[in-house]
Amino acid sequence: MTELLAVEDLTVDFLTPDGTVHAVRGVSFTVAAGETLGIVGESGSGKSVTMLATMGLLPRKTRVGGSVRFRGEELLGRKPKEIRRFRGSKLAMVFQDPMTSLNPVHKVGKQIAEAMLAHQDVSKRAAWAQAVELLDTVGIPAPGRRADQYPHEFSGGMRQRAMIAMAIVNDPDILIADEPTTALDVTIQAQVLETLDKVKRELNTSIVLITHDLGVISRMADRVAVMYAGEIVETGVIDDIFVTPRHPYTIGLLNSLPRLDTSNTTLTPITGSPPSMVHPPSGCPFHPRCFFRRENCSTDKTNLRDIGLGAHTSACHYAEALSEVAR
């Protein structure tokens, strides 16, 4: 498949009074045309910061290193005016909280239309018509009437779908969805995921899905990148991650979920807490919490490596041996 986005050795550091927060440490991945990449991990693992850096949406004083290429063009280091040419028209993002992302004093239809006017030479009438059409596309009933309403008049699920409509108004190649089902009940979650799936099928849009919900990942993703402490610790196609996990953190995430294919109702939580990113642990970042750790895990740095199962990589020294303990 055609490679649209290539992120290589991405680093993100925040300067704080307590010290430098190493939020993202050497992250690399690609996104191909028409695929859904799921990025999963605990809160604070660096998922959202990684994609905000890709979009050029981090504060100016943030230190960002590495490479982000869209269709071969480097994005890091460009001036804000240049990066805006890509943002919205090539790369678009649906943010985690639509209530704070939508402007409360402007009608929803106007906000969607403005996103189109910023990138295309069209009339306001045409942009409004497109906004109404997109609200219908994402499953909002009575789109003509709803476009003339304010965000507070929408339910949480409708606001999330309105954000999706705003993101796809310029037909982007890649849509980044940051925790799109957070704080929504199960029925509304399903509607939002169906909307994303419809966008992918009908517009052939690639999706980067950021979430801590493995159930969402299993339903939506083609490939998965598991993040921990600012690093990617395992990647693979969906079956690799759920059937043959090869990193203790991935196994821990899966073992903390209820299963329908076993009578065992006891869940196994991951002990401990994520590390401070001001002073990340040496060696493997997961070793203080790992059930499979060995003496060298606290000293020897781990890197993603091919473990001989197709396109399956792991950053565990003992990935092959984990086949004996994987769920």
Side-chain angles (χ1 to χ4, degrees):
M1 294 184 289
T2 303
E3 182 180 283
L4 296 180
L5 183 69
V7 176
E8 293 183 8
D9 198 25
L10 181 69
T11 61
V12 178
D13 296 330
F14 295 104
L15 305 180
T16 73
D18 295 325
T20 301
V21 177
H22 306 286
V24 178
R25 306 186 295 159
V27 164
S28 299
F29 63 89
T30 61
V31 180
E35 80 164 340
T36 297
L37 172 68
I39 302 181
V40 66
E42 293 172 280
S43 297
S45 61
K47 307 182 303 295
S48 298
V49 172
T50 294
M51 299 316 299
L52 288 171
T54 299
M55 293 282 290
L57 291 173
L58 292 175
R60 289 187 178 183
K61 292 185 179 180
T62 306
R63 291 201 307 241
V64 181
S67 173
V68 176
R69 297 191 307 276
F70 178 79
R71 293 189 182 275
E73 292 190 62
E74 182 62 54
L75 301 186
L76 290 189
R78 287 177 177 261
K79 296 178 180 179
K81 183 177 181 180
E82 294 176 341
I83 200 68
R84 282 196 293 269
R85 179 167 61 88
F86 292 88
R87 193 167 55 223
S89 60
K90 305 298 182 183
L91 300 166
M93 192 165 186
V94 179
F95 297 96
Q96 185 170 347
D97 185 357
M99 195 59 195
T100 58
S101 301
L102 291 167
N103 191 321
V105 300
H106 291 295
K107 295 178 179 179
V108 171
K110 179 182 179 182
Q111 295 184 60
I112 298 173
E114 284 182 342
M116 186 175 187
L117 291 168
H119 292 278
Q120 301 183 41
D121 185 17
V122 296
S123 66
K124 291 183 179 181
R125 182 185 296 272
W128 180 270
Q130 180 68 4
V132 173
E133 183 178 333
L134 283 173
L135 288 175
D136 182 54
T137 298
V138 299
I140 292 181
R145 177 172 60 86
R146 288 295 188 177
D148 206 35
Q149 293 181 331
Y150 293 91
H152 73 271
E153 298 178 272
F154 279 40
S155 66
M158 289 173 64
R159 285 194 292 267
Q160 192 65 279
R161 281 177 282 172
M163 286 295 299
I164 294 173
M166 187 183 302
I168 65 175
V169 70
N170 294 300
D171 194 16
D173 294 302
I174 299 177
L175 176 64
I176 301 165
D178 188 2
E179 299 281 7
T181 59
T182 296
L184 301 177
D185 63 48
V186 176
T187 303
I188 303 303
Q189 284 183 22
Q191 294 174 1
V192 171
L193 294 178
E194 287 171 6
T195 301
L196 289 172
D197 190 51
K198 182 179 180 181
V199 168
K200 177 182 176 180
R201 285 184 286 103
E202 296 186 359
L203 303 180
N204 195 35
T205 302
S206 298
I207 295 176
V208 177
L209 184 61
I210 303 169
T211 183
H212 62 270
D213 190 333
L214 286 168
V216 171
I217 289 291
S218 67
R219 170 177 174 175
M220 297 289 294
D222 301 309
R223 288 191 302 119
V224 184
V226 182
M227 287 193 70
Y228 182 79
E231 301 179 8
I232 292 180
V233 297
E234 185 170 10
T235 66
V237 298
I238 195 72
D239 287 345
D240 288 344
I241 300 302
F242 281 83
V243 180
T244 58
R246 289 296 181 266
H247 193 281
Y249 179 59
T250 309
I251 294 172
L253 289 176
L254 292 169
N255 285 340
S256 64
L257 293 175
R259 298 178 59 174
L260 298 177
D261 60 346
T262 178
S263 59
N264 184 9
T265 58
T266 302
L267 302 182
T268 306
I270 300 174
T271 60
S273 303
S276 165
M277 298 314 295
V278 176
H279 302 291
S282 59
C284 171
F286 188 61
H287 83 263
R289 308 173 69 189
C290 183
F291 65 88
F292 205 71
R293 63 179 177 268
R294 302 292 185 266
E295 186 175 346
N296 66 319
C297 293
S298 62
T299 56
D300 296 348
K301 182 71 176 71
T302 56
N303 295 299
L304 277 178
R305 60 186 178 86
D306 189 341
I307 56 174
L309 297 174
H312 194 170
T313 64
S314 173
C316 178
H317 294 305
Y318 304 100
E320 290 79 4
L322 284 168
S323 60
E324 302 172 7
V325 297
R327 56 187 336 239

